[in-house]
Amino acid sequence: MEKAPVRICMIGAGRVGKNHSRALARVPGGKIVALVDPVADILAATGDEFGIEARFASLEEALDKVAFDAVIITTPTFTHRDLALTAAAHGKHVFLEKPMALDLAECDAIIEGTRRAGVVLQIGFMRRFSPEFVAAMHRIEAGEIGRPMMIKSTTNGPGLPPAWARDLRTSNGMLAEVNSHDWDSIRWLMGSNYERVYTEVANFKGAALGVDTPHFYDNAVVNMRFESGSLGTIAGICPCGYGYDARVEIIGEKGILQIGELQGEAIVVCTDRDHGLVTPVIRTWGERFAWGYIHELEHFVDCTRTGKPSRATGEDGRWAVAGVLAATRSLLEERPVTLREVLEADAADAAPWIGKAGGA
Amino acid sequence: MEKAPVRICMIGAGRVGKNHSRALARVPGGKIVALVDPVADILAATGDEFGIEARFASLEEALDKVAFDAVIITTPTFTHRDLALTAAAHGKHVFLEKPMALDLAECDAIIEGTRRAGVVLQIGFMRRFSPEFVAAMHRIEAGEIGRPMMIKSTTNGPGLPPAWARDLRTSNGMLAEVNSHDWDSIRWLMGSNYERVYTEVANFKGAALGVDTPHFYDNAVVNMRFESGSLGTIAGICPCGYGYDARVEIIGEKGILQIGELQGEAIVVCTDRDHGLVTPVIRTWGERFAWGYIHELEHFVDCTRTGKPSRATGEDGRWAVAGVLAATRSLLEERPVTLREVLEADAADAAPWIGKAGGA
Amino acid sequence: MEKAPVRICMIGAGRVGKNHSRALARVPGGKIVALVDPVADILAATGDEFGIEARFASLEEALDKVAFDAVIITTPTFTHRDLALTAAAHGKHVFLEKPMALDLAECDAIIEGTRRAGVVLQIGFMRRFSPEFVAAMHRIEAGEIGRPMMIKSTTNGPGLPPAWARDLRTSNGMLAEVNSHDWDSIRWLMGSNYERVYTEVANFKGAALGVDTPHFYDNAVVNMRFESGSLGTIAGICPCGYGYDARVEIIGEKGILQIGELQGEAIVVCTDRDHGLVTPVIRTWGERFAWGYIHELEHFVDCTRTGKPSRATGEDGRWAVAGVLAATRSLLEERPVTLREVLEADAADAAPWIGKAGGA
Amino acid sequence: MEKAPVRICMIGAGRVGKNHSRALARVPGGKIVALVDPVADILAATGDEFGIEARFASLEEALDKVAFDAVIITTPTFTHRDLALTAAAHGKHVFLEKPMALDLAECDAIIEGTRRAGVVLQIGFMRRFSPEFVAAMHRIEAGEIGRPMMIKSTTNGPGLPPAWARDLRTSNGMLAEVNSHDWDSIRWLMGSNYERVYTEVANFKGAALGVDTPHFYDNAVVNMRFESGSLGTIAGICPCGYGYDARVEIIGEKGILQIGELQGEAIVVCTDRDHGLVTPVIRTWGERFAWGYIHELEHFVDCTRTGKPSRATGEDGRWAVAGVLAATRSLLEERPVTLREVLEADAADAAPWIGKAGGA
């Protein structure tokens, strides 16, 4: 017999909220029953687009008026802790977009709050559910390329992030907002935690785009050592303009494995031999990870039904935040920074740049 | 407000029925309310797998017991006409897997029956809904490669089709069962009907596989002239073993356009420099056309709701059957055959090989 | 100790003569000592470009004035027989560009003339020496893809051939001048002779280019059966505009093997996500087969030194001509034509269209 | 009229000497007239293989016995200075394999010695002559991808280098011996000098291979800032086992450009749909840069004839050495190191690890 659908309150009606609503429409068993956004216009437009009638300016209001089982939180990072804790306190399962939170203290609060409430907590690391990442992970675990020695992870995004998402003080900036996925997936694929990171950044387009935020950067390369002794790099550029570019390369003692490619749809055209072959590039993250988004929500629906823990845990989210904090400290202090420095510091000391502008 | 879902009776619980049920689960607005299959075991297994409780041995029984809006017919070709006519006579919209029918008289009956009943008729040409085919068609229509001069369409399938589907007498054989999509998409992409075809076939694996059906072939190449003066080839091999291989290449006065590739998931591995790089191949048609199947059923759901005619019509299905008949006649008579010979012949004369074994 | 270089008389100072001179400069042991061309301007320009001082309007003159060991004949097809026979009669080894000759009688004369003179005869089938063709052939012979079932060979050239090379009467037209390589390499790779061919042709660009030659075509698809029972297609378009496109696909009982690709240099660029990735296409045959040309001449130099027979024999050249004749008859008579019809016919009957315009 | 060939003394009869001899055989105008190697067996074998009769144990002996115009020095790095200075002192043009020398003082001596002698000095940076690098550079200079923001350069080699080439004390180790080309080409392609570098290294295979050299590493990632403000990474693994992997990716303000790929010959095979598509990987540096080696020697021959300065200068070689020294200091001191520290230091202070074991 058919199971009752998991009733979901979608928090955030912007770009990510729409992407997740679109993905959820392809997930049998999940159903959006309420939409929350403080911005009336966006709330109305997205509500109309997805046929969601129950619309609210706040989570509290939704909790008051509609029965649901779970929340999907797609709002800016600095809102994550409070929303997650409120939802958990009302017994709602929590799906939380990356990055998990601004600092480790917030991560700890979310982990503890959901644990105490006995609800599922899943972080939006959809790459862990993307078919080629899943297949790659199986092959690495099966020993196909031997012990991993080096990983290179690239995520370049086409457009300038919103103001809060490119400001160290309100979001930890690009390494957090664009490259959170790299932080998570390198740790996952390598089967080891990062131990030391060094970051170089550059600001090429800020001035032309009118960005005068302190420490703004649009290019970053981080290299790192893992606890296992292996090496890695994360490279990010945003805005890069040319597409959405997410690729990973892992080299083990026995061989190389590459995940992802620039090419989008399998179409090749040539109409000018001096110009050459033209093939679509992947344009957006929604296109790149279409199946990843579907499968991660399918997993979340399954976890909420069965009570099984999610495969993308709060601990995973916390590690990604820790990597960001270490890399940010490195770029500010122009020296390699160990994870231990971040993990053992007080919250205020670990990321002294946060909140200095008063939030968004 | 949310629209009531389109209630669907899935006819056929085998491989294609399961594939379409899987796709339909990702189509918001469509819902399987009944499952029909004369084979009890398959009916039970598929019913369980997809959580469909209303299960019947025949369409008539389902019509009698359950309310629904549409049927999806996935049973063998020789059953298509009767099932489609019965459904239409009861006012049900009809989604009909390719090939449409065994001969042109059957096609005409289906077209006429659905027209008279005022129901939607859609043929399962999912390539017309597959993102890269859709994008390619837009680019051709926009004139990007100029007037099409030549098209080459390949479909090779991994495994041996069931007995009825490899026998000229019960199905028109491989060119119908495996290559129907090629017949449809070359006509669609070229914007012209085929006018003359010539077929060469070979039988390489039949003996080893114990196939002794008369005129059995597992390799075919057809070349053809279109009414527009352009040229084309269809090549098919089944079983080919190495994967599911569906690629199209179109060359126009201004350039070349290729659709599809052998590569599956974007993973590259190399662990032995004497062996080389290894990347997944597309293994099955379900994998290759995952989005095509979702989008064609989304379109069907939309047509049944709005009454709009489908983009994959009975006329399209009839043309594909006509191509198969001409090509089959060519291989039997070892000469080029014009479409006119088939289109103007009586049904019995057009395909004298059909039904000679008494059907399946 | 160093061997004396093989002294070569290059006959033909045009595009092919220059290509071969360029390749020969990279072949240790071969040296052009004379250049022959009846057109004074071309003779002077090419002589200057390659630093060849001994220049003559005719082979006879060169024979009279300069000592050499071998000729490379790169002039139009209708001159091949006489030049090859003259060279052989003077004891010179003969490298002969494809197509070997206009008809089978000419081929027989060349084979016999060189045999009697005891000189090497090599036909310019450089694909047999191109590294990826050689590697593919080894893998096929080693049984990697099993017994070959189907081959598809494509050669599309960018520009309009000269008048003599697109006229059936003076050259057998495009299937000979552009697709000779396909005729040779499919027979070589399949390990079997073609037995029956059927040709469809089209003329898309002739009118716009001012070509009014009877039976001119710029598009052709030939499908065929081999003596082994396997199938094949040759497709050709010239001028295709978009590049030089030479690809082969072979499917055997155990798998598929593809040779060649559209991509030229390994550079990928993307500067516009709506336009997509751009990579160089192969622009010319000289670029595509740079190593093939070097290696075939290296082989020829080696054969002339050692007296070993060439791996691209007169018999191979003759078979390619026979394929062209059968395919041309097929397009003129709009029916499948067996090779036996051509092989057993008198020369005049085999190709009645040749010479009807009086030659070039 | 034909020019007299440039007479070359090849110094070093090992792997690189053979590779360059092979390339030189395809360079019209260059001719090896003497071969030098202190190891009698290798001298004999290579002399026989390339038909070089004049063979000597030392450059001095060759200078004494044979007339020549230029030397190609392919011996270990620690021999470069003395050989280059001796050759220059005798008025011979100097082609010097990378890395140029062990430290900046040696580089300065070579630059000064050749300058004073008025002979050509070319460093073996064949990537500057490899067709796809040349084409990429033209496109970057033409502004196609805008101002370069980030470069990633990878060179992984299949096998373990010889003892002297993996020991910091005798060669500066892998970053010098394997990744010299990266140091040169990133500086060339970015149009800027590196300014600061940070290195992480790992040793995964040393123990199993019996390597106990202090500071041995087989994996390295360097990230860096350029004087222009742009960023870069060099990654190297040796032995990586899976092939010879040299790829570069450059992202500018307007787009991305990739140079090189893993794929070798254009052959794709699939015989098992569970295994997937297989295509040759590039196996060796000789295969990867076949045309680069030919063109660099062609350029050297041209420079020696015309007296034009080479496009791969001693200054370029010196910068690559400086990068290696900074990156090596970084890995030893576990901190970012500026190029200024190296460029302004005394030779002994710049690279205190060199020669500590007494040389080779």
Side-chain angles (χ1 to χ4, degrees):
Chain A
M1 82 260 78
E2 210 181 348
K3 291 167 244 169
V6 172
R7 298 161 301 175
I8 289 165
C9 174
M10 180 69 65
I11 307 178
R15 209 163 52 137
V16 180
K18 289 166 71 170
N19 177 72
H20 284 42
S21 300
R22 209 171 293 122
L24 204 59
R26 303 218 180 274
V27 174
K31 187 178 163 62
I32 302 176
V33 299
L35 182 65
V36 169
D37 202 291
V39 183
D41 284 359
I42 292 175
L43 183 66
T46 302
D48 288 354
E49 182 176 343
F50 290 91
I52 311 165
E53 286 178 83
R55 304 170 190 180
F56 307 98
S58 72
L59 171 58
E60 285 73 10
E61 210 182 324
L63 284 163
D64 201 42
K65 302 274 179 52
V66 185
F68 55 86
D69 307 302
V71 295
I72 294 178
I73 300 173
T74 69
T75 47
T77 312
F78 53 78
T79 69
H80 284 189
R81 183 192 49 192
D82 291 355
L83 288 167
L85 290 180
T86 300
H90 288 77
K92 311 305 182 193
H93 301 289
V94 176
F95 180 98
L96 187 52
E97 252 305 279
K98 47 54 49 180
M100 185 178 181
L102 282 177
D103 60 28
L104 301 184
E106 289 190 353
C107 293
D108 290 336
I110 295 168
I111 291 170
E112 176 57 16
T114 50
R115 192 196 57 73
R116 205 162 21 188
V119 296
V120 171
L121 171 62
Q122 180 171 329
I123 309 299
F125 291 134
M126 78 291 178
R127 294 189 187 182
R128 290 186 180 226
F129 302 91
S130 191
E132 73 285 4
F133 275 79
V134 171
M137 186 57 174
H138 285 156
R139 295 171 73 165
I140 293 168
E141 288 180 326
E144 189 168 337
I145 59 164
R147 195 158 47 128
M149 303 192 296
M150 192 187 288
I151 190 164
K152 300 175 197 169
S153 190
T154 292
T155 304
N156 300 332
L160 186 67
W164 68 266
R166 64 193 188 227
D167 188 331
L168 291 193
R169 297 166 300 185
T170 49
S171 68
N172 293 308
M174 187 185 88
L175 279 170
E177 290 297 323
V178 175
N179 297 105
S180 263
H181 297 295
D182 303 274
W183 290 104
D184 181 57
S185 51
I186 63 171
R187 190 177 146 264
W188 178 58
L189 293 164
M190 295 299 271
S192 179
N193 298 318
Y194 9 90
E195 185 179 61
R196 180 168 70 178
V197 302
Y198 176 76
T199 310
E200 289 280 3
V201 297
N203 173 358
F204 269 87
K205 299 182 178 173
L209 294 167
V211 181
D212 58 0
T213 318
H215 302 298
F216 171 77
Y217 59 89
D218 48 17
N219 280 253
V221 284
V222 184
N223 60 0
M224 74 198 59
R225 192 164 66 192
F226 287 83
E227 292 172 0
S228 63
S230 53
L231 308 180
T233 62
I234 289 178
I237 302 180
C238 199
C240 74
Y242 67 82
Y244 179 77
D245 183 0
R247 288 171 288 141
V248 182
E249 180 168 307
I250 306 154
I251 299 167
E253 291 193 356
K254 294 186 188 163
I256 187 171
L257 184 152
Q258 297 177 314
I259 308 172
E261 61 188 0
L262 284 168
Q263 187 187 325
E265 278 164 7
I267 298 179
V268 179
V269 171
C270 184
T271 57
D272 176 352
R273 67 179 175 142
D274 292 321
H275 182 67
L277 303 170
V278 181
T279 192
V281 71
I282 292 172
R283 298 178 73 266
T284 63
W285 42 267
E287 172 192 339
R288 170 66 180 85
F289 287 108
W291 283 111
Y293 287 112
I294 293 171
H295 289 155
E296 73 168 357
L297 293 180
E298 212 153 40
H299 179 71
F300 179 63
V301 162
D302 186 52
C303 290
T304 64
R305 276 180 165 159
T306 61
K308 283 189 301 191
S310 171
R311 279 165 42 212
T313 69
E315 281 299 317
D316 296 322
R318 187 182 192 274
W319 263 103
V321 172
V324 168
L325 297 183
T328 304
R329 174 170 274 202
S330 171
L331 75 90
L332 291 171
E333 302 183 6
E334 304 190 60
R335 64 173 182 90
V337 171
T338 63
L339 267 288
R340 177 178 296 187
E341 294 180 61
V342 166
L343 294 169
E344 296 183 353
D346 290 339
D349 293 346
W353 57 86
I354 295 179
K356 287 297 158 55
Chain B
M1 86 256 80
E2 211 180 348
K3 292 167 239 169
V6 172
R7 297 162 302 174
I8 290 166
C9 174
M10 179 69 65
I11 309 178
R15 209 165 52 138
V16 180
K18 289 166 72 169
N19 177 71
H20 284 43
S21 299
R22 211 171 291 123
L24 204 59
R26 303 217 180 274
V27 174
K31 187 177 163 61
I32 303 176
V33 298
L35 182 65
V36 169
D37 202 291
V39 183
D41 285 358
I42 292 174
L43 182 66
T46 302
D48 288 354
E49 181 176 343
F50 290 91
I52 311 165
E53 285 178 83
R55 305 170 189 181
F56 308 98
S58 72
L59 170 58
E60 285 74 10
E61 210 182 324
L63 285 163
D64 200 40
K65 301 275 179 51
V66 185
F68 55 85
D69 307 302
V71 295
I72 294 178
I73 301 173
T74 68
T75 47
T77 313
F78 52 79
T79 69
H80 284 189
R81 183 191 50 192
D82 292 354
L83 288 168
L85 291 179
T86 301
H90 287 77
K92 309 304 182 194
H93 302 290
V94 176
F95 179 99
L96 187 52
E97 251 305 278
K98 46 57 43 182
M100 186 178 180
L102 281 177
D103 61 28
L104 301 183
E106 289 191 351
C107 293
D108 290 336
I110 295 169
I111 291 170
E112 176 58 16
T114 50
R115 193 197 56 74
R116 206 162 18 190
V119 296
V120 171
L121 171 63
Q122 180 172 329
I123 309 300
F125 291 135
M126 79 291 178
R127 294 189 187 183
R128 290 185 180 227
F129 302 91
S130 190
E132 73 285 4
F133 275 78
V134 171
M137 186 57 175
H138 285 157
R139 295 171 73 164
I140 293 168
E141 287 179 327
E144 190 168 336
I145 58 164
R147 195 158 47 130
M149 303 192 297
M150 192 187 290
I151 190 164
K152 300 174 196 169
S153 190
T154 292
T155 304
N156 300 333
L160 185 67
W164 67 266
R166 63 191 189 229
D167 188 331
L168 291 193
R169 298 166 299 187
T170 49
S171 68
N172 292 308
M174 187 186 87
L175 279 170
E177 291 297 323
V178 176
N179 297 105
S180 264
H181 297 296
D182 302 275
W183 289 103
D184 180 58
S185 51
I186 63 172
R187 189 178 149 264
W188 179 57
L189 292 165
M190 295 300 271
S192 179
N193 298 319
Y194 10 88
E195 186 179 59
R196 180 168 71 178
V197 302
Y198 176 76
T199 310
E200 290 280 2
V201 297
N203 173 357
F204 269 87
K205 300 183 178 174
L209 294 168
V211 181
D212 59 1
T213 319
H215 302 298
F216 171 77
Y217 60 89
D218 49 17
N219 280 254
V221 283
V222 184
N223 60 1
M224 73 197 59
R225 192 164 66 191
F226 288 82
E227 292 172 359
S228 63
S230 53
L231 308 180
T233 62
I234 289 178
I237 301 178
C238 201
C240 74
Y242 66 83
Y244 179 76
D245 184 359
R247 287 171 290 141
V248 181
E249 179 168 308
I250 307 154
I251 299 167
E253 292 193 355
K254 294 185 189 164
I256 189 171
L257 185 152
Q258 297 177 315
I259 308 172
E261 59 189 359
L262 284 168
Q263 187 187 326
E265 277 163 8
I267 297 179
V268 178
V269 171
C270 184
T271 57
D272 176 353
R273 67 179 175 143
D274 292 321
H275 182 66
L277 303 170
V278 181
T279 192
V281 72
I282 292 171
R283 297 178 72 266
T284 64
W285 42 268
E287 173 192 339
R288 170 67 181 84
F289 287 107
W291 283 111
Y293 287 112
I294 292 171
H295 289 155
E296 74 168 357
L297 293 180
E298 212 152 42
H299 179 70
F300 178 62
V301 162
D302 186 53
C303 290
T304 63
R305 274 180 165 159
T306 61
K308 284 189 301 191
S310 171
R311 279 164 42 212
T313 70
E315 280 300 317
D316 295 323
R318 187 184 194 273
W319 263 103
V321 172
V324 168
L325 297 182
T328 305
R329 174 169 275 201
S330 171
L331 75 89
L332 291 170
E333 301 182 7
E334 304 190 59
R335 64 173 182 89
V337 171
T338 63
L339 267 288
R340 177 178 295 187
E341 292 181 64
V342 167
L343 294 169
E344 296 183 353
D346 290 338
D349 292 346
W353 57 86
I354 294 179
K356 287 297 160 54
Chain C
M1 85 257 80
E2 212 181 348
K3 292 169 242 168
V6 173
R7 296 162 302 173
I8 290 167
C9 174
M10 179 69 65
I11 308 178
R15 208 164 52 138
V16 179
K18 287 166 73 170
N19 177 72
H20 284 42
S21 299
R22 210 171 291 124
L24 204 58
R26 303 217 180 275
V27 174
K31 187 178 164 59
I32 303 177
V33 298
L35 181 65
V36 169
D37 203 290
V39 183
D41 285 358
I42 293 176
L43 182 66
T46 301
D48 287 353
E49 182 177 343
F50 291 89
I52 311 165
E53 286 178 83
R55 305 169 189 179
F56 307 98
S58 72
L59 170 58
E60 285 74 11
E61 210 182 325
L63 285 163
D64 200 41
K65 301 275 178 53
V66 184
F68 54 87
D69 307 301
V71 296
I72 295 179
I73 300 174
T74 69
T75 48
T77 313
F78 52 78
T79 69
H80 284 189
R81 183 190 50 190
D82 292 354
L83 288 168
L85 292 180
T86 300
H90 287 76
K92 310 306 182 193
H93 302 289
V94 176
F95 180 98
L96 187 52
E97 252 306 279
K98 47 54 46 181
M100 185 178 180
L102 282 177
D103 60 28
L104 301 183
E106 289 191 352
C107 293
D108 291 337
I110 294 168
I111 292 170
E112 176 58 16
T114 50
R115 192 196 58 71
R116 204 162 22 189
V119 296
V120 171
L121 170 63
Q122 180 171 327
I123 309 300
F125 291 135
M126 80 290 178
R127 294 190 187 183
R128 290 186 179 226
F129 302 90
S130 191
E132 72 285 4
F133 275 78
V134 171
M137 185 57 175
H138 285 156
R139 295 171 72 164
I140 293 168
E141 287 180 327
E144 190 167 336
I145 60 165
R147 195 158 48 129
M149 301 192 298
M150 192 187 289
I151 190 164
K152 302 175 195 168
S153 190
T154 292
T155 304
N156 301 333
L160 186 67
W164 67 267
R166 62 192 190 229
D167 188 332
L168 291 193
R169 299 167 297 187
T170 49
S171 68
N172 292 307
M174 186 186 88
L175 279 170
E177 290 298 324
V178 176
N179 298 105
S180 263
H181 297 296
D182 302 274
W183 289 103
D184 180 58
S185 51
I186 65 172
R187 188 176 149 267
W188 178 58
L189 292 165
M190 295 299 271
S192 178
N193 298 318
Y194 9 89
E195 185 179 60
R196 181 168 70 177
V197 302
Y198 176 75
T199 311
E200 290 279 4
V201 297
N203 173 358
F204 270 87
K205 299 182 178 173
L209 294 168
V211 180
D212 58 1
T213 318
H215 302 299
F216 171 77
Y217 59 89
D218 48 17
N219 281 253
V221 283
V222 184
N223 61 1
M224 73 199 59
R225 192 163 66 191
F226 287 82
E227 291 172 1
S228 62
S230 53
L231 308 179
T233 62
I234 289 177
I237 302 180
C238 200
C240 73
Y242 66 83
Y244 179 77
D245 184 0
R247 287 172 289 141
V248 181
E249 180 167 307
I250 306 153
I251 299 167
E253 291 194 356
K254 295 187 189 164
I256 188 171
L257 184 153
Q258 297 177 315
I259 308 171
E261 60 188 0
L262 284 168
Q263 188 187 323
E265 277 164 9
I267 297 179
V268 178
V269 171
C270 184
T271 56
D272 177 352
R273 67 179 176 143
D274 292 322
H275 183 66
L277 304 170
V278 181
T279 192
V281 71
I282 292 171
R283 298 177 73 264
T284 64
W285 42 267
E287 173 191 341
R288 171 66 180 85
F289 288 107
W291 283 111
Y293 287 112
I294 292 172
H295 289 156
E296 73 170 357
L297 293 180
E298 213 152 41
H299 179 71
F300 179 63
V301 163
D302 186 52
C303 290
T304 62
R305 274 179 167 161
T306 61
K308 284 191 298 191
S310 171
R311 280 164 42 211
T313 69
E315 279 301 316
D316 296 322
R318 186 182 193 274
W319 262 104
V321 172
V324 167
L325 298 182
T328 304
R329 175 170 273 201
S330 171
L331 75 90
L332 292 171
E333 301 182 7
E334 305 190 57
R335 65 174 181 89
V337 171
T338 63
L339 267 288
R340 177 180 295 187
E341 294 181 62
V342 166
L343 294 168
E344 296 183 353
D346 290 338
D349 292 348
W353 56 86
I354 294 178
K356 286 299 160 52
Chain D
M1 82 260 74
E2 211 181 346
K3 291 168 243 167
V6 172
R7 296 162 302 173
I8 290 167
C9 173
M10 179 70 65
I11 308 178
R15 210 165 51 139
V16 180
K18 288 166 72 170
N19 178 72
H20 284 42
S21 299
R22 210 172 291 122
L24 203 59
R26 303 215 180 276
V27 174
K31 186 176 165 62
I32 303 177
V33 298
L35 181 65
V36 170
D37 202 290
V39 183
D41 284 359
I42 293 176
L43 181 67
T46 302
D48 287 354
E49 182 177 343
F50 291 90
I52 310 165
E53 285 178 84
R55 305 169 191 181
F56 307 99
S58 71
L59 171 57
E60 285 74 9
E61 209 182 326
L63 285 163
D64 199 43
K65 301 274 179 52
V66 184
F68 55 86
D69 306 302
V71 296
I72 295 179
I73 301 173
T74 69
T75 47
T77 312
F78 52 79
T79 69
H80 284 189
R81 184 191 48 191
D82 291 354
L83 289 168
L85 291 180
T86 301
H90 287 77
K92 310 305 182 193
H93 301 289
V94 176
F95 180 98
L96 188 51
E97 252 305 278
K98 47 52 52 182
M100 185 176 180
L102 281 178
D103 60 28
L104 301 183
E106 289 191 352
C107 292
D108 291 335
I110 295 168
I111 291 171
E112 176 59 15
T114 50
R115 192 196 58 71
R116 207 163 18 191
V119 296
V120 171
L121 171 62
Q122 180 171 329
I123 309 300
F125 290 135
M126 78 291 178
R127 295 190 187 182
R128 291 187 179 225
F129 302 90
S130 191
E132 72 285 4
F133 275 78
V134 171
M137 186 57 175
H138 285 157
R139 295 172 73 165
I140 293 169
E141 288 180 326
E144 189 167 338
I145 59 165
R147 195 158 47 128
M149 302 192 296
M150 192 187 288
I151 190 164
K152 300 175 197 168
S153 190
T154 292
T155 303
N156 300 333
L160 185 68
W164 67 266
R166 62 194 190 228
D167 188 330
L168 291 193
R169 297 167 298 186
T170 48
S171 68
N172 293 308
M174 188 185 88
L175 279 170
E177 290 298 321
V178 176
N179 297 105
S180 263
H181 297 296
D182 303 273
W183 289 104
D184 181 57
S185 52
I186 63 172
R187 190 176 147 265
W188 179 57
L189 293 164
M190 296 299 270
S192 179
N193 298 319
Y194 9 90
E195 185 179 61
R196 181 168 69 179
V197 301
Y198 176 75
T199 309
E200 290 278 3
V201 297
N203 173 357
F204 270 87
K205 300 182 179 174
L209 294 168
V211 180
D212 58 1
T213 318
H215 302 299
F216 172 77
Y217 59 88
D218 49 17
N219 280 253
V221 284
V222 184
N223 60 1
M224 74 197 59
R225 193 164 67 193
F226 288 83
E227 292 173 359
S228 63
S230 53
L231 308 179
T233 62
I234 289 177
I237 302 179
C238 199
C240 74
Y242 66 83
Y244 179 77
D245 184 359
R247 289 171 287 142
V248 181
E249 179 167 309
I250 306 154
I251 300 168
E253 291 193 355
K254 295 186 188 163
I256 188 172
L257 184 152
Q258 298 177 314
I259 308 172
E261 61 189 358
L262 284 169
Q263 189 187 324
E265 276 163 9
I267 297 178
V268 179
V269 170
C270 184
T271 57
D272 177 351
R273 67 179 174 141
D274 293 321
H275 182 67
L277 303 171
V278 181
T279 192
V281 71
I282 291 172
R283 298 178 73 266
T284 63
W285 42 266
E287 173 191 339
R288 170 67 180 84
F289 288 107
W291 283 111
Y293 287 111
I294 292 171
H295 289 156
E296 72 168 0
L297 293 181
E298 211 152 43
H299 179 70
F300 179 63
V301 162
D302 187 51
C303 290
T304 63
R305 274 180 166 159
T306 61
K308 283 190 299 189
S310 172
R311 279 165 43 212
T313 69
E315 280 300 317
D316 296 322
R318 187 181 193 274
W319 263 103
V321 172
V324 168
L325 297 183
T328 304
R329 174 169 275 202
S330 171
L331 75 90
L332 291 171
E333 303 182 6
E334 305 190 58
R335 64 174 182 90
V337 171
T338 62
L339 266 288
R340 178 178 295 188
E341 294 181 60
V342 167
L343 294 169
E344 296 183 354
D346 290 339
D349 293 347
W353 57 86
I354 295 180
K356 286 298 157 54

